[in-house]
Amino acid sequence: MKISSLQATFQASRPQSAAFFERAKHTISGGVNGNLRYFAPFPIIFEKAEAASLIDLDGHRYVDYLLSYGALMLGHAHPEVLKATQEVWEKQGTSSFGATHPLEMEMTDELLELYPSFDQVRFTNSGLEATLFALRLATAYTGKSHIAKFEGHYHGAHDHVLQSVNPTADLAGTTQAPHPVPESLGTPEYYRDHSVILPFNDWDACERILTENADLISSVIMEPMLSGYIAADRTFMKNLRELTTKLGIVLIFDEVKTGFRIEVGGAQAFYGVQPDLTALGKVVGGGFPIGVVGGKRDIMELASPLRSSKKSEVVFHSGTFNGNPLSIAAGLATIRYLKQPGNFAQIVAQTNELRTGIDALAKEYALPFHTLGEGTIFNVLATGETVGHYRDLGKNNNQLRLALDYLLMENGVYSKPMNRFSLSAAHGPAEVKATLDAFEKSMAALKQDPLV
């Protein structure tokens, strides 16, 4: 079995997607409106979704584990979300005031209850905007010019955090002293020169680097779980909180992936560690664009126009669609559903059942797959070795995992090749069974015709 033959089968069975992409690539750069959406030979073009399913242009139905990169915690078009957004039109009469409205306060109250690290919040339109604003606040608060981020962690597509997201080994330096490696063309050297790269889950190296650069570093920004599924060691997290406090460095949790998915209160509830600032996105919008920055009052107040009449003394933050009623209403419906007794636990239970089944099938077919994650997120790794940080992912047999992904798509399961799996309230026993059936067929094919 070769990847090329799997791609040929994929292409032959999706002529409508192929034709669409052929047209799109001439007028949409690369045929996609986001580089992460592309995979060879072309991305599937979807035209409809139902609950936990996606339907493509060629009529193929898939159990959806992409879920808009984890944003759809209740699945597609959940009745509670539909009801909430319909009420916006009936009660508010608009999709955007461009001004403050009462739903903003309702969402704020919910967030402050669930995230004890929040004294105040500000809404943005995406997780990208949230991390950008959090970093600006931290820089203003400390007066220091550098940021520290962890190797392999992704915080959105803005210049200062597009460093060492997926660095190659020949450029990345040693594991104890990683080098900043730009992720994109067009990233000014300033950001590389003002970035400090940290090794995830290596406390001795992390402590040394932070201590040596404490006079430069305004903030440490991190995914508490790398890519949403590789957990930080609990002692590592506790030590990081203590050291950043001691050194006067703002600790920022990027919980765009993990917020409401590891626990309803995010990874910070899982660890029992409170950061100074948190960036949220995805789930908190219930399927609509949103971002949130929440954190300590003395930092958040730097953005308040009440603190000074001089623009130079206030951290600027604004956005026409910040806190728009559609996003807030959909997010409120999602959060209130998840808070109801048993609802979040049921999604976790379905996730664990699926993971247990995948792990058992890998063992039955003697294939080096295993699942890794927490809460409602996991990934399927093609290695028998422990994975605890970015460089450990080099142990993964990417070609084997890629082959599994193409086979899964042929058998009606979609998460996008090499992507993590997210579950929703719409994933019930029938979806789990169908998915395990697809994994069994796919693993049997791999066993019968090994990858060459």
Side-chain angles (χ1 to χ4, degrees), residues 142-311:
T142 63
K144 295 185 280 189
S145 59
H146 289 52
I147 72 163
K149 71 174 296 288
F150 286 89
E151 190 175 64
H153 292 213
Y154 177 70
H155 304 293
H158 54 98
D159 288 341
H160 211 159
V161 292
L162 279 178
Q163 306 291 328
S164 296
V165 180
N166 295 288
T168 55
D170 59 321
L171 298 176
T174 68
T175 55
Q176 286 74 40
H179 296 161
V181 180
E183 184 74 8
S184 172
L185 289 174
T187 306
E189 290 185 5
Y190 171 90
Y191 295 107
R192 182 197 64 198
D193 296 341
H194 288 75
S195 296
V196 176
I197 307 303
L198 302 171
F200 189 58
N201 271 335
D202 182 340
W203 177 245
D204 289 341
C206 188
E207 180 182 34
R208 173 182 52 77
I209 295 169
L210 288 175
T211 301
E212 289 175 355
N213 294 279
D215 291 341
L216 298 173
I217 298 172
S218 63
S219 58
V220 171
I221 186 169
M222 71 181 307
E223 295 181 296
M225 298 185 179
L226 193 163
S227 296
Y229 67 91
I230 301 175
D233 179 80
R234 289 182 179 273
T235 300
F236 179 91
M237 193 67 81
K238 176 177 177 290
N239 289 345
L240 183 64
R241 173 66 284 184
E242 291 175 356
L243 183 63
T244 51
T245 300
K246 176 184 175 182
L247 298 177
I249 296 171
V250 175
L251 180 59
I252 303 170
F253 278 9
D254 176 355
E255 293 230 46
V256 172
K257 296 185 183 80
T258 54
F260 303 94
R261 279 205 161 272
I262 304 303
E263 293 189 15
V264 178
Q268 54 199 266
F270 177 84
Y271 289 111
V273 171
Q274 292 190 12
D276 300 305
L277 294 173
T278 299
L280 294 172
K282 298 191 188 297
V283 172
V284 76
F288 287 82
I290 199 169
V292 178
V293 174
K296 290 184 176 180
R297 184 177 304 276
D298 56 343
I299 304 177
M300 296 296 298
E301 282 283 1
L302 291 173
S304 171
L306 303 176
R307 71 187 304 267
S308 176
S309 60
K310 297 179 180 179
K311 292 182 180 179

Side-chain angles (χ1 to χ4, degrees), residues 23 38 41 61 67 95 123 149 154 162 213 216 246 262 325 336 347 365 371 394 437 444 452:
R23 296 195 308 273
Y38 175 78
R61 179 181 288 267
L67 291 172
S95 61
F123 297 110
K149 71 174 296 288
Y154 177 70
L162 279 178
N213 294 279
L216 298 173
K246 176 184 175 182
I262 304 303
R336 287 167 178 168
I347 304 173
Y365 285 96
T371 65
D437 287 346
V452 293

Side-chain angles (χ1 to χ4, degrees), residues 63-83:
V63 183
D64 179 17
Y65 290 97
L66 184 69
L67 291 172
S68 193
Y69 288 92
L72 298 168
M73 191 70 186
L74 305 190
H76 298 279
H78 189 276
E80 294 294 326
V81 174
L82 287 175
K83 177 182 176 184

Side-chain angles (χ1 to χ4, degrees), residues 312-324:
S312 61
E313 296 178 356
V314 177
V315 172
F316 182 78
H317 170 248
S318 199
T320 300
F321 297 105
N322 289 357
N324 72 82

Side-chain angles (χ1 to χ4, degrees), residues 327-360:
S327 294
I328 296 289
L332 280 170
T334 299
I335 292 169
R336 287 167 178 168
Y337 177 93
L338 295 175
K339 286 174 60 181
Q340 293 174 28
N343 283 355
F344 183 80
Q346 181 61 31
I347 304 173
V348 174
Q350 294 293 336
T351 307
N352 291 339
E353 183 177 345
L354 178 57
R355 289 184 59 187
T356 298
I358 294 169
D359 289 336

